[in-house]
């Protein structure tokens, strides 16, 4: 009888962990989706709250910090007009989440609208005030690129 009760408790505990991870993955996916909307809308206030003060942004033309990324978005130097997300994968490592988006990004750059296929890697860390974006890296890919899950 004791073994049955212990087994039942283990099953309940393990299913709770799985549910918790699914909730966290959904939370990260929603946060990433919101980020794309905030970037398109040039919502600097929300992005400033999301981006960690030490965050880095890796683009085709360079790598820079939070202040520079916010300046670029605010001035429209790069206007992330629309990110069509085709595929998303998330891995959770304790208080760190890594998300991969395969996107088609329409952006306004140097006076022209351009469309590019990217896999975007986002790294988030959960702290006392919630999730913070530590890194956003754009990797140029073909439109046939797939994210293995």
């Amino acid at each position: 009888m004791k073994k049955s009760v212990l087994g039942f408790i283990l099953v309940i505990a393990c299913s709770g962990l799985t549910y918790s991870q699914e909730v966290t993955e959904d939370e990260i996916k929603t946060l990433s989706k919101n980020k794309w909307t905030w970037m398109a809308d040039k919502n600097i206030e929300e992005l400033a709250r999301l981006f960690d003060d030490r965050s880095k942004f890796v683009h085709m033309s360079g790598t820079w910090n939070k202040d520079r990324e916010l300046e670029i978005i605010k001035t429209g130097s790069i206007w992330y007009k629309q990110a069509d997300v085709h595929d998303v994968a998330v891995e959770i490592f304790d208080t760190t989440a890594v998300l991969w988006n395969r996107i088609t990004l329409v952006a306004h750059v140097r006076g022209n609208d351009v469309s590019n296929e990217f896999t975007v890697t986002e790294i988030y860390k959960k702290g006392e005030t919630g999730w913070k974006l530590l890194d956003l890296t754009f990797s140029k890919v073909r439109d046939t690129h797939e994210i293995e899950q």
Side-chain angles (χ1 to χ4, degrees):
M1 180 71 173
K2 287 183 180 179
K3 287 183 181 179
S4 296
V5 171
L6 183 59
F8 180 72
I9 290 170
L10 272 171
V11 167
I12 296 298
C14 289
S15 64
L17 289 173
T18 302
Y19 174 75
S20 176
Q21 184 159 341
E22 288 174 7
V23 169
T24 302
E25 287 179 13
D26 289 342
E27 183 181 6
I28 293 298
K29 287 177 183 178
T30 299
L31 191 56
S32 176
K33 182 180 176 184
N34 290 344
K35 173 200 42 62
W36 291 120
T37 300
W38 297 333
M39 290 172 89
D41 294 344
K42 301 179 186 177
N43 188 336
I44 301 304
E45 292 78 25
E46 289 296 333
L47 292 169
R49 278 192 282 279
L50 176 63
F51 298 165
D52 186 84
D53 288 341
R54 297 169 294 157
S55 57
K56 297 290 186 245
F57 300 85
V58 181
H59 293 265
M60 291 169 45
S61 60
T63 300
W64 43 79
N65 63 19
K66 172 184 177 175
D67 292 339
R68 178 76 176 119
E69 181 73 6
L70 292 173
E71 175 189 329
I72 285 168
I73 293 167
K74 184 178 181 178
T75 63
S77 176
I78 299 174
W79 176 19
Y80 303 94
K81 292 175 79 171
Q82 182 176 342
D84 293 324
V85 178
H86 307 293
D87 204 6
V88 179
V90 177
E91 292 285 338
I92 307 295
F93 306 90
D94 298 319
T95 59
T96 302
V98 180
L99 177 140
W100 298 270
N101 285 304
R102 188 176 63 80
I103 68 169
T104 302
L105 178 65
V106 176
H108 192 78
V109 182
R110 295 184 201 102
N112 298 304
D113 282 352
V114 294
S115 178
N116 285 292
E117 302 293 325
F118 291 107
T119 290
V120 180
T121 304
E122 302 173 32
I123 301 174
Y124 294 89
K125 180 82 171 168
K126 188 161 192 171
E128 293 176 11
T129 61
W131 290 99
K132 292 287 192 174
L133 181 83
L134 302 177
D135 177 83
L136 183 107
T137 298
F138 289 87
S139 301
K140 183 105 168 79
V141 296
R142 295 186 177 126
D143 62 356
T144 57
H145 178 83
E146 293 182 17
I147 299 173
E148 283 190 32
Q149 299 190 39

